[in-house]
Amino acid sequence: MNSRITALYETHQRLGARFVDFAGWQMPVQYTGVVEEHMAVRDDCGIFDVSHMGEIEVSGPGARSAVQSVITNDIERIGDGQCQYTLVCTEEGGVVDDCIVYRRSAESFLFCTNAINTYSVFVWLLEKLNGKADVIDRSGDYAQIAIQGPASLEVFKIAFGIDTGSIKPFRFIETGVAGVEAIVSRTGYTGEEGLEIYLDPRSAEAAWEALMAAGAGHGIKAVGLGARDTLRLEMGYPLYGYEIGDKLGPIEAGLKRFVALGKESFIGSKVLRARAASKPESVLVGIEMEGPGVPRTGYELFFDRPESTGAVGYVTSGTFSPVLKRGIAMAYVGSEFKEPGTRLEVKIRSRAVPCKVVGTPFYRRDKR
Amino acid sequence: MEFPEDLKYSKEHEWVRLEGDTAVVGITDYAQDSLGDVVYVELPAEGDSVSRGETFGVVESVKAVSDLYSPVSGSVTEVNDTVVDGPEAINEDPYTEAWMLKIELDNIDELEDLLSADEYQQFIEEEK
């Protein structure tokens, strides 16, 4: 097999992980079970190896305006030590990737990319920012560990003696972790409080073990990509290749708040402005099952009587929600069906099973 | 992983326990382990007939959907509602609590085509 492994591969093996090939990486999909790992993050604390994600540095005197010209969000909204979620779009308004951009200084930015897109983002930035800023693929320099859940900040404090309670969401510090300089940010992909730690791969195991030991009294569990997906779905977070992609832009995906239409022109701005001003044919919504079964990628949605009118939408990704204990999905539906409460049917194998359109996130910590 | 000696196994990962001329059917420890957390099961109704090698239902875990293939032919005399109402039983106790169907056999000789516990274990080793 040609797939790559992270610095924590042997650690996962020792923990009895089951592996899956993901974007060319051998990644742990589960350790003890998706539901158990999912609930550990919701109730206590979960630790993830997300070293497959990429890190692209954009630096130099022109870095700030260079970054501004390739992202949809407004980089001027953040200062040093802050990061933001953004999209990188094509001229046609398709998505190259959705990233978190870290502003380390006015002349140094780091894009955290989806593993599957690291290379394409790197090439894209090289080409588009040629002569304006230095673009370096730093992915090999960083392992990435995420620790998420209500106990995560406490566990991090026990492990490294650093109080991150005062770091606000989407802010980060650069500090010593497991003997090396690391980026520690208040970000994540689960909807819970938590941190993402970028550090030298050679120190990844030491950091992982320190967190595991510190979390022993806090119910810490290693969490694989299986639960990472169910966690992000409960929050209604998009995943590249499913809810967004080359042909699925940010406006129809409901990500308009990350598209700064008022800022100076950027790659894709012309198309995105036009699209934002017109009524989209279909939009991304949340779907909650009212009958049995799990909605999955590609399943069709119908309004009223299935076969008579043809499909009115399709599921982009779906799962069984461990918290709600029913099937949930994200789906594109015709604009006229987007209102929460709209009753639809999802075709699961040969049966039409009732479901309804709901707002996202599907789950809110304070309402549980 | 456990594979009780007194059961017969199919290559589609179902098990059969013979009780008189009735076959009790479920999925194996290996099958439940591969699926992960089972969240939904679809089974036929009492009185339905099932045929060897054909699908009789569906089992869904958080991550995957899998068809259930009948290891024998006959008519369904009982369906285990416990497993429909609480599909996690399939993960917890696949051979006892989580039996799925009782089938009145059309032809008891069909059982001879199924695998023994040893043969089944060998089969899954090769399949890995």
Side-chain angles (χ1 to χ4, degrees):
Chain A
M1 204 169 294
N2 289 320
S3 45
R4 302 166 67 184
I5 59 171
T6 75
L8 292 163
Y9 183 76
E10 285 173 17
T11 310
H12 305 316
Q13 276 186 320
R14 276 200 299 279
L15 290 167
R18 195 164 293 173
F19 290 87
V20 67
D21 185 282
F22 183 81
W25 293 79
Q26 279 293 298
M27 296 301 294
V29 63
Q30 70 166 57
Y31 300 83
T32 54
V34 174
V35 172
E36 192 181 322
E37 293 165 28
H38 181 108
M39 295 314 293
V41 174
R42 291 277 178 251
D43 293 335
D44 303 302
C45 179
I47 180 170
F48 305 69
D49 175 15
V50 283
S51 302
H52 59 310
M53 299 191 77
E55 293 84 14
I56 313 286
E57 183 184 283
V58 177
S59 62
R64 211 166 91 196
S65 61
V67 168
Q68 188 74 315
S69 71
V70 287
I71 67 168
T72 61
N73 210 335
D74 184 358
I75 201 69
E76 298 300 337
R77 285 181 194 162
I78 64 169
D80 296 351
Q82 288 182 266
C83 52
Q84 75 179 182
Y85 176 79
T86 188
L87 297 116
V88 175
C89 282
T90 62
E91 291 290 359
E92 296 76 33
V95 179
V96 177
D97 196 19
D98 60 334
C99 308
I100 302 278
V101 180
Y102 290 80
R103 177 173 153 154
R104 306 174 81 173
S105 75
E107 297 191 1
S108 178
F109 297 84
L110 199 63
F111 285 65
C112 176
T113 63
N114 281 295
I116 199 158
N117 291 326
T118 301
Y119 186 70
S120 49
V121 173
F122 177 55
V123 171
W124 183 265
L125 294 179
L126 269 183
E127 195 182 302
K128 303 297 172 190
L129 303 185
N130 182 28
K132 298 176 190 159
D134 294 325
V135 178
I136 303 169
D137 185 353
R138 292 278 188 206
S139 304
D141 297 347
Y142 291 107
Q144 196 188 142
I145 296 170
I147 176 163
Q148 305 272 302
S152 55
L153 303 194
E154 179 62 21
V155 169
F156 185 84
K157 189 175 160 187
I158 297 169
F160 304 116
I162 302 162
D163 188 355
T164 52
S166 59
I167 305 173
K168 290 182 185 150
F170 287 94
R171 285 176 188 260
F172 64 98
I173 54 171
E174 307 210 26
T175 184
V177 167
V180 288
E181 193 67 9
I183 296 173
V184 178
S185 73
R186 274 290 301 275
T187 47
Y189 198 43
T190 65
E192 298 297 330
E193 268 188 359
L195 302 165
E196 291 179 308
I197 306 155
Y198 300 76
L199 78 175
D200 188 320
R202 286 167 295 190
S203 293
E205 196 186 341
W208 177 281
E209 295 302 343
L211 289 165
M212 282 297 241
H218 290 275
I220 196 169
K221 285 207 162 60
V223 184
L225 292 186
R228 187 168 162 83
D229 194 50
T230 55
L231 287 158
R232 71 96 189 169
L233 263 168
E234 278 186 348
M235 296 312 296
Y237 294 153
L239 175 61
Y240 188 92
Y242 293 83
E243 283 74 37
I244 50 174
D246 192 33
K247 299 273 186 284
L248 295 169
I251 304 297
E252 50 274 35
L255 301 172
K256 204 168 159 181
R257 66 187 181 282
F258 304 107
V259 182
L261 293 166
K263 76 172 189 180
E264 66 267 45
S265 71
F266 57 94
I267 297 175
S269 60
K270 203 171 155 196
V271 172
L272 293 174
R273 279 187 191 120
R275 224 176 270 171
S278 63
K279 192 182 162 208
E281 252 174 60
S282 66
V283 290
L284 190 66
V285 295
I287 295 287
E288 197 172 292
M289 296 302 294
E290 300 199 298
V294 182
R296 298 187 193 270
T297 306
Y299 286 9
E300 288 179 312
L301 290 159
F302 295 89
F303 179 69
D304 196 16
R305 298 193 48 194
E307 314 307 335
S308 61
T309 50
V312 300
Y314 66 99
V315 171
T316 48
S317 35
T319 192
F320 178 84
S321 160
V323 170
L324 303 176
K325 301 205 188 318
R326 66 180 64 168
I328 57 169
M330 308 250 273
Y332 276 100
V333 298
S335 293
E336 61 269 45
F337 305 104
K338 73 175 183 191
E339 287 312 315
T342 307
R343 286 179 192 281
L344 300 172
E345 288 177 321
V346 57
K347 197 169 167 190
I348 299 184
R349 294 173 288 278
S350 56
R351 291 191 311 162
V353 185
C355 63
K356 66 176 180 201
V357 175
V358 295
T360 54
F362 296 93
Y363 154 83
R364 282 179 210 271
R365 199 176 357 176
D366 51 355
K367 287 192 183 160
R368 190 164 150 199
Chain B
M1 234 173 268
E2 287 180 42
F3 304 101
E5 292 289 334
D6 60 328
L7 305 183
K8 291 283 200 178
Y9 299 85
S10 74
K11 290 186 176 177
E12 289 80 28
H13 310 290
E14 277 80 29
W15 57 260
V16 179
R17 181 186 293 118
L18 193 62
E19 292 180 353
D21 54 4
T22 297
V24 186
V25 170
I27 68 168
T28 68
D29 205 4
Y30 174 77
Q32 71 77 19
D33 185 65
S34 311
L35 281 164
D37 300 300
V38 177
V39 294
Y40 176 64
V41 193
E42 211 173 283
L43 297 175
E46 256 178 56
D48 285 359
S49 50
V50 294
S51 307
R52 192 179 82 173
E54 298 197 354
T55 63
F56 70 78
V58 167
V59 57
E60 290 207 38
S61 68
V62 174
K63 292 300 286 178
V65 192
S66 184
D67 281 325
L68 296 165
Y69 294 89
S70 187
V72 291
S73 308
S75 55
V76 177
T77 58
E78 212 180 324
V79 177
N80 187 0
D81 292 330
T82 308
V83 89
V84 175
D85 297 338
E88 62 278 4
I90 293 169
N91 296 116
E92 289 156 7
D93 189 1
Y95 297 117
T96 317
E97 200 192 329
W99 62 273
M100 292 176 173
L101 304 178
K102 292 190 179 175
I103 300 166
E104 193 176 74
L105 290 169
D106 286 347
N107 178 5
I108 200 161
D109 294 342
E110 276 184 355
L111 290 182
E112 287 169 23
D113 300 333
L114 297 172
L115 307 176
S116 70
D118 281 351
E119 288 166 338
Y120 177 65
Q121 280 190 73
Q122 202 177 339
F123 170 72
I124 57 180
E125 277 308 314
E126 286 163 9
E127 219 189 24
K128 272 180 196 169

